[in-house]
Amino acid sequence: MEFEEPLAEPLKKKLEKVKELKKDGKDLYKSRFEKNTDIANIKAKYPDLKAGDRDETVFKIAGRVMSFRKHGKATFADIRDFMDKIQLYVSQREVGDRMYEEFLDIDIGDWIGVEGNVFVTHTGELSINVLKFELLSKAIRILPEKWHGLKDIEIRYRQRYLDFIVNPEVKKIFLTRIKIIDAIREFLRGRGFSEVETPMLQLIPGGAAARPFITHHNALDIDLYLRIAPELYLKRLIVGGFEKVFELNRNFRNEGISYKHNPEFTMLEFYQAYADYNDMMDLTEELIKFVSMRSTGKLTTTYKGNEINLDGEWEKITMLDAIHKFGGVKLSFDNTIEELFLKAKELEIEVDKSMGKGKIINKIFETLVEPELIQPTFIKDYPIDISPLAKKHPENENLVERFELFIGGEEIANAFSELIDPVEQLSRFKSQVKSKFEEERITGRIDIDYLKALEYGMPPTGGEGIGVDRLIMLLTNSNSIRDVILFPLLRPES
RNA sequence: GGGCCGUUAGCUCAGACGGUAGAGCACCGGACUUUUAAUCCGGGUGUCGAAGGUUCGAUUCCUUCACGGCUCACCA
């Protein structure tokens, strides 16, 4: 038994008790228990029983003991299984002297299996009259307190199991997360999309501009990167003839941690041949409405104090129009760099002239507009120089057919009509690698194999990425990405 | 990385002019056959985040560090 700190007194006593029980030949850690129902089922079966009512059906349930109310020769206890909890009534008369003695050795936190029938107490609580019980697994550590719960946010993240044991609302968030993930798959499958798995270990980490995690393959003696995006592989599949594919899995980015960034996070990417970014907008709107209904049963949510309505048609507006509308600033690509630079300065937005027009405009957009985009809004037609994989806009060579979806002031989705011209793709890659700033962030290597794939011909395609954790934050009103990731990354304890 | 805040019992939290700390729950001992924050009687179980410094004396004051939170920067 390994304890990192000197043993606190209660812990020592627990260990002594366990030693005693073992010495008496008790098996404290059993192999199995045959349940025949869940607590929630029992509760559902007897909605109308009144005080004094009783049913002789024998149920076998199991769970963790959460509390005791001991009364000498009879004891009440609450046990909890995955979804529900119920009160046990154990009396010496019913279970006999020896078993009752054994029950008094049970501690809060222990797992037990129980056989008993249902009755309702004087105070009207549906309870299990215990006929037999069995200790399944002994707890040595003492659980956090029962009505203040566990508030220390650091312990909640580091020991998430305690968070689940003590804070029921946390479990609710993750159950919603599970429903959201299921609903995404259900929706896309229903639309004829195939779920695929592409490499997480990549030779060239492409599809985004973030610093990658580096690892090493010993047998091949090569460095590999954990993927920052699956994009370039999914598009290879489109070249190979797949028409609708999606991948719902982890990406890894070696960047800062914040309320909306975890080094590993869940990304949905989907690609549809013959579709453009307008089609993707329609699909996105339907997807998120479907997911919201399936997971929360409604089309409204509250996020950071804002009421958000997902119903109705979502607004679509170009980036430049949005800057005009929300920021009152009229910008265009006819402005010189100097003019854009001065405009940004005037707005107290930090930019420098090496950034290029697109980047400055985007920065202004992020500062002035993003926080205002509370209700679902598609921002479309992004600057070309910040969108190396998107198709050029037919009406303006400075723009691409790209949109981002914002809800609650957060970026939820990013999509475009894919750039499928291999010659143009090469020159875009080159100009991207050119700037010194980018060079630090990108490995500097162009994915020649991806270009080769394009050279074989890729059909017109719409592609999109959705930050699933952020979507979950939105639908569960969670202020931090750590509240929707089971085991978020923390610095190791000293 | 910068700024601000936090770290006291298993948990939630008090507290002190600088004189080695106290509540509730949990825990330990006892009473109790319908309680549900059960009740009643008895028991504090602690490296006051860590290390230095000042001091007769530091958990308290100072410095540094660790971890966490918020925020700014960064993350197209």
Side-chain angles (χ1 to χ4, degrees), chain A residues 57-72:
Chain A
T57 314
V58 173
F59 296 106
K60 290 171 152 187
I61 56 172
R64 190 193 288 275
V65 175
M66 298 306 293
S67 62
F68 281 112
R69 289 168 295 283
K70 295 185 180 179
H71 293 264

Side-chain angles (χ1 to χ4, degrees), chain A residues 69-207:
Chain A
R69 289 168 295 283
K70 295 185 180 179
H71 293 264
K73 296 188 169 66
T75 293
F76 293 92
D78 294 322
I79 70 164
R80 195 161 75 206
D81 65 10
F82 182 53
M83 288 305 286
D84 214 334
K85 68 183 218 177
I86 197 163
Q87 174 170 269
L88 303 180
Y89 177 72
V90 187
S91 71
Q92 193 172 40
R93 191 198 303 136
E94 189 80 63
V95 301
D97 291 1
R98 196 199 291 153
M99 190 172 278
Y100 190 74
E101 282 300 308
E102 276 178 32
F103 192 77
L104 292 179
D105 279 334
I106 298 294
D107 293 304
I108 290 177
D110 289 358
W111 293 88
I112 62 174
V114 161
E115 228 180 293
N117 59 297
V118 161
F119 76 109
V120 176
T121 63
H122 293 166
T123 46
E125 179 157 350
L126 185 70
S127 307
I128 298 289
N129 174 52
V130 174
L131 304 170
K132 265 162 120 179
F133 86 94
E134 192 182 343
L135 171 63
L136 301 179
S137 183
K138 188 82 192 159
I140 294 170
R141 295 260 181 184
I142 294 158
L143 287 180
E145 203 223 330
K146 61 183 165 189
W147 66 80
H148 290 102
L150 179 64
K151 289 188 179 163
D152 186 314
I153 204 160
E154 190 176 346
I155 301 177
R156 286 188 43 224
Y157 294 149
R158 287 193 198 278
Q159 297 176 261
R160 182 71 92 180
Y161 47 90
L162 284 182
D163 202 15
F164 282 126
I165 293 167
V166 181
N167 299 327
E169 68 286 356
V170 174
K171 188 187 271 177
K172 221 157 133 194
I173 287 175
F174 284 97
L175 289 174
T176 304
R177 180 180 176 119
I178 290 167
K179 285 184 191 163
I180 288 169
I181 301 283
D182 281 351
I184 290 170
R185 291 202 159 98
E186 186 183 341
F187 177 86
L188 288 171
R189 282 194 203 115
R191 296 301 178 101
F193 283 82
S194 305
E195 181 168 8
V196 297
E197 294 159 279
T198 66
M200 296 214 185
L201 294 174
Q202 300 183 348
L203 286 162
I204 301 168

Side-chain angles (χ1 to χ4, degrees), chain A residues 196-436:
Chain A
V196 297
E197 294 159 279
T198 66
M200 296 214 185
L201 294 174
Q202 300 183 348
L203 286 162
I204 301 168
R211 272 179 296 211
F213 287 93
I214 306 174
T215 186
H216 189 80
H217 189 274
N218 291 337
L220 296 181
D221 191 26
I222 48 170
D223 282 339
L224 290 169
Y225 302 88
L226 298 187
R227 74 173 180 203
I228 55 176
E231 174 152 358
L232 300 185
Y233 284 94
L234 290 169
K235 288 201 270 197
R236 282 171 169 94
L237 292 177
I238 301 293
V239 170
F242 284 81
E243 295 187 359
K244 291 179 175 181
V245 292
F246 76 97
E247 183 157 10
L248 174 52
N249 218 312
R250 225 67 63 79
N251 285 349
F252 307 87
R253 295 186 184 176
N254 205 341
E255 304 279 3
I257 294 172
S258 80
Y259 77 93
K260 52 179 175 176
H261 297 93
N262 194 61
E264 54 178 308
F265 62 99
T266 301
M267 178 77 119
L268 168 68
E269 287 204 11
F270 48 102
Y271 291 82
Q272 177 174 348
Y274 315 117
D276 70 359
Y277 76 144
N278 290 307
D279 299 311
M280 300 314 273
M281 279 187 238
D282 296 341
L283 191 61
T284 305
E285 195 170 324
E286 288 170 48
L287 168 69
I288 291 178
K289 285 175 177 172
F290 179 89
V291 167
S292 182
M293 280 308 290
R294 265 295 146 84
S295 58
T296 67
K298 51 195 168 85
L299 285 177
T300 53
T301 182
T302 307
Y303 181 70
K304 296 193 168 168
N306 291 307
E307 297 296 326
I308 291 164
N309 184 9
L310 301 175
D311 208 359
E313 199 180 327
W314 295 356
E315 188 179 356
K316 295 168 184 163
I317 182 170
T318 69
M319 180 184 268
L320 290 172
D321 286 347
I323 292 172
H324 185 54
K325 179 177 170 184
F326 292 94
V329 183
K330 190 115 188 145
L331 298 178
S332 113
F333 279 90
D334 297 334
N335 293 117
T336 62
I337 280 267
E338 190 62 31
E339 285 168 337
L340 291 172
F341 178 77
L342 287 174
K343 199 78 205 169
K345 276 277 171 238
E346 197 183 306
L347 295 161
E348 294 178 341
I349 298 166
E350 235 181 278
V351 290
D352 72 83
K353 287 175 196 165
S354 72
M355 283 167 80
K357 288 185 186 180
K359 227 167 168 170
I360 294 176
I361 289 172
N362 188 50
K363 192 96 189 176
I364 292 171
F365 167 78
E366 283 175 358
T367 312
L368 292 185
V369 185
E370 273 191 21
E372 307 297 322
L373 302 176
I374 304 302
Q375 301 306 321
T377 308
F378 291 108
I379 299 294
K380 56 181 201 168
D381 300 344
Y382 274 64
I384 195 165
D385 47 337
I386 58 169
S387 314
L389 297 161
K391 185 176 190 183
K392 199 178 282 176
H393 199 286
E395 283 151 30
N396 186 338
E397 60 170 13
N398 296 300
L399 300 175
V400 289
E401 291 192 346
R402 168 182 175 185
F403 73 80
E404 289 190 358
L405 169 66
F406 291 86
I407 308 177
E410 306 281 1
E411 176 196 337
I412 299 293
N414 177 22
F416 27 90
S417 305
E418 300 296 337
L419 172 57
I420 57 175
D421 175 345
V423 176
E424 188 183 342
Q425 183 67 79
L426 174 60
S427 71
R428 294 262 212 106
F429 273 155
K430 279 184 174 163
S431 69
Q432 190 195 18
V433 175
K434 231 174 9 200
S435 84
K436 220 181 174 178

